């Protein structure tokens, strides 16, 4: 357990290295996490979307959590994704994470049949009640296909252990307006995902950046996060510009496909995307490699 | 095994009665299926969206298939939903269904990370190759969050065992235009779901109606399907009008929530929706019951 807030600053979301059958490589995962600890990120978001939680069995998710706790416990707060289609499964995953020593939960309203606002509320309530861990609401309609109303976020923020929300970038781009509205209605710590908008979000006063690139290039990402949180507009813009071409590939190919190919390029892990997801084609890989080279150099070179 | 085409005429999609923990009540399922056989529907779509396939474990899905084969084998073709988020899971489910005696597969491109067209193609190819069963493509962006391009449907139709597609109603309402375009590009049997548009689809020459209401009120639904397939516009319109208020409740509440409450009302089964899905509230239930009463009377009264 770490006593620092898991919901403030740069939260790095690593991949979960696994083989083609969905068996997690706990050693490789440990290496990824060690790198994040050494860089000094504020928290780790294990088993987020990039961490392929949706594609792993309960057993493999528990193996990943245990390996992560062993690696990072007491050093950096560990947030664990507990999302599942069924409420009882999400409750089980939350209890697994707590028993294994996680510091916090990230909960996505995964859906197949579209959920009503009330159904999402009851789902969150059941999972929140199942453990003592603080919960971050995972709000990402692009993968969960659920849209939170402001009223629902307000109701959820009244549940004692629900402490934070991970927001998608606002469609209208009005970060200050959205932050003001959410702060008026809730007492949640408010963070953003969507790496390309994170500098703006932090400069606008957001509490956290839930970052995919932070799971891969933690030192450089932390530099950007710190500049933006310190209000250093020029410094943040300069780093943001260096990342921009990589983020274009995130948008073009999906960040998960880019991250999994780069794990191998960085000699961090051999990790398979869960099929049906496919590796990038050769020409696209080449494009990503050229784009990422300066960032790798900045990060401190390739491990080998 | 039944030798009739599973992809022509009225395909009835029943609920899968299960308890709150997702344990299938195979006896109650048998009663639902017996009712469909007696009504003489053209095929049964087991473990479709209404059949909560997405919320059941592999073990429970296999129990449901075995119970269904025992009930309907040799009488009516049995189409079994094999959709899963992971390709290897979908392959396993398809093999389970074949080994248990299913006649055909229904395959949905379930997604979390949005899939590319190529990823969906490879997914379908892997599952199609895993068994000898004919496959119907499940095309329903509302639940799977995947949109098939016409080119992808054309490529899929070139895979030998992929024989049919279950389409959502066209957004622009142009059924004849869509049917003509699909028939030009593919040799798939073309059916529609979205009960409220099915009469129009069949009148426009569609091959099949994949029907939620057909799993609940099979005799009346079959009457509508037969009128529409015979080109009896007046007869079809008259029956369609009787169903219309029920279909309004499908649109307002989600057909799955309406169907599960009516199972109990019709004394067919005690069946729980998988949480986080919630039963309708009392006032909404009341509204559905009033609306459905004439249809129940037409169907042949309540069993008790």
């Amino acid at each position: 357990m770490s006593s620092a807030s898991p919901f403030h600053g740069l939260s790095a979301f690593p991949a979960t290295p696994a083989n083609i059958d969905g068996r997690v490589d706990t050693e490789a995962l440990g290496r990824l996490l060690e790198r994040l600890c050494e860089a000094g990120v504020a928290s780790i978001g294990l088993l987020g979307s990039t961490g392929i939680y949706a594609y792993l069995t309960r057993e493999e998710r528990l193996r990943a959590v245990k390996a992560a706790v062993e690696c990072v416990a007491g050093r950096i707060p560990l947030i664990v994704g507990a999302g599942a289609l069924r409420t009882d499964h999400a409750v089980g995953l939350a209890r697994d994470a707590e028993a294994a020593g996680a510091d916090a939960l990230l909960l996505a309203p995964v859906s197949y049949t579209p959920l009503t606002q009330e159904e999402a509320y009851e789902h969150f309530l059941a999972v929140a009640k199942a453990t003592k861990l603080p919960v971050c609401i995972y709000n990402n309609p692009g993968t969960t296909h659920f849209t939170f109303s402001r009223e629902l976020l307000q109701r959820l923020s009244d549940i004692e252990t629900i402490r934070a929300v991970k927001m998608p970038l606002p469609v209208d781009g009005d970060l200050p307006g959205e932050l003001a509205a959410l702060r008026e209605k809730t007492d949640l710590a408010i963070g953003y995902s969507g790496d390309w908008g994170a500098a703006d979000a932090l400069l606008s006063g957001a509490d956290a950046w839930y970052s995919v690139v932070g799971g891969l290039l933690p030192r450089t990402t932390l530099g950007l996060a710190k500049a933006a949180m310190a209000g250093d507009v020029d410094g943040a813009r300069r780093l943001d510009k260096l990342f921009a071409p990589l983020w274009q590939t995130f948008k073009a190919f999906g960040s998960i496909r880019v991250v999994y190919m780069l794990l191998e390029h960085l000699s961090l892990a051999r990790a398979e995307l869960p099929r049906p997801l496919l590796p990038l084609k050769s020409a696209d890989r080449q494009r990503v490699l050229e784009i990422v080279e300066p960032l790798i150099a900045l990060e401190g070179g390739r491990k080998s």
Side-chain angles (χ1 to χ4, degrees), chain A:
Chain A
M1 283 286 261
S2 166
S3 61
S5 162
F7 306 131
H8 289 80
L10 176 65
S11 186
F13 276 63
T16 304
N19 71 9
I20 197 80
D21 299 318
R23 172 86 176 168
V24 173
D25 179 346
T26 52
E27 270 187 47
L29 177 62
R31 283 198 298 278
L32 292 188
L33 299 179
E34 186 56 40
R35 190 174 146 94
L36 304 183
C37 288
E38 282 169 14
V41 300
S43 68
I44 289 173
L46 190 79
L47 296 170
S49 292
T50 305
I52 61 170
Y53 78 94
Y55 299 91
L56 298 175
T57 62
R58 179 174 180 179
E59 291 69 30
E60 291 302 312
R61 289 168 72 164
L62 181 54
R63 288 184 62 243
V65 179
K66 285 180 174 170
V69 168
E70 196 169 314
C71 178
V72 312
R75 298 161 78 190
I76 290 179
L78 185 69
I79 309 170
V80 173
L85 209 51
R86 292 182 60 99
T87 300
D88 50 8
H89 289 181
V91 163
L93 289 159
R95 289 186 177 138
D96 283 355
E98 181 179 50
D103 296 292
L105 299 174
L106 180 68
L107 186 59
V110 189
S111 71
Y112 179 79
T113 299
L115 300 179
T116 65
Q117 300 288 305
E118 185 64 23
E119 287 169 342
Y121 176 80
E122 292 290 340
H123 181 74
F124 273 80
L125 183 63
V127 178
K129 276 183 168 174
T131 81
K132 294 195 165 78
L133 297 180
V135 176
C136 177
I137 300 163
Y138 181 103
N139 179 359
N140 182 3
T143 52
T144 65
H145 313 293
F146 180 78
T147 300
F148 288 86
S149 69
R150 293 257 167 93
E151 287 63 35
L152 177 56
L153 289 175
Q154 185 169 27
R155 284 183 74 198
L156 290 173
S157 107
D158 290 339
I159 298 172
E160 199 188 342
T161 54
I162 295 186
R163 300 276 175 78
V165 63
K166 170 180 172 295
M167 295 288 290
L169 296 170
V171 177
D172 66 3
D174 181 12
L175 281 157
E178 180 169 276
L179 280 161
L182 288 171
R183 296 214 191 278
E184 197 196 317
K185 285 192 183 263
T186 79
D187 57 2
L188 300 170
I190 302 166
Y192 282 85
S193 55
D195 283 343
W196 44 90
D200 277 341
L202 291 173
L203 285 167
S204 301
D207 299 305
W209 173 12
Y210 298 102
S211 176
V212 172
V213 78
L216 192 72
L217 303 169
R219 288 175 54 186
T220 318
T221 309
L222 193 59
L224 171 50
K226 283 186 171 168
M229 285 189 294
D232 172 6
V233 178
D234 290 347
R237 293 268 178 261
R238 192 168 36 80
L239 276 164
D240 197 43
K241 214 169 167 180
L242 285 174
F243 276 112
L246 182 63
W247 290 333
Q248 288 302 326
T249 72
F250 282 15
K251 290 185 198 175
F253 305 124
S255 57
I256 193 169
R257 296 183 190 85
V258 174
V259 165
Y260 277 72
M261 69 154 274
L262 287 175
L263 286 181
E264 201 162 335
H265 180 66
L266 288 162
S267 306
L268 291 170
R270 261 196 61 73
E272 298 279 354
L273 284 167
R275 299 290 187 278
L277 303 182
L278 292 174
L280 294 186
K281 287 182 182 151
S282 176
D284 296 333
R285 283 179 62 90
Q286 206 46 50
R287 183 174 146 205
V288 171
L289 290 180
E290 282 160 23
I291 278 170
V292 82
E293 212 47 60
L295 287 165
I296 293 176
L298 199 63
E299 182 74 15
R302 186 176 314 191
K303 257 187 172 172
S304 58

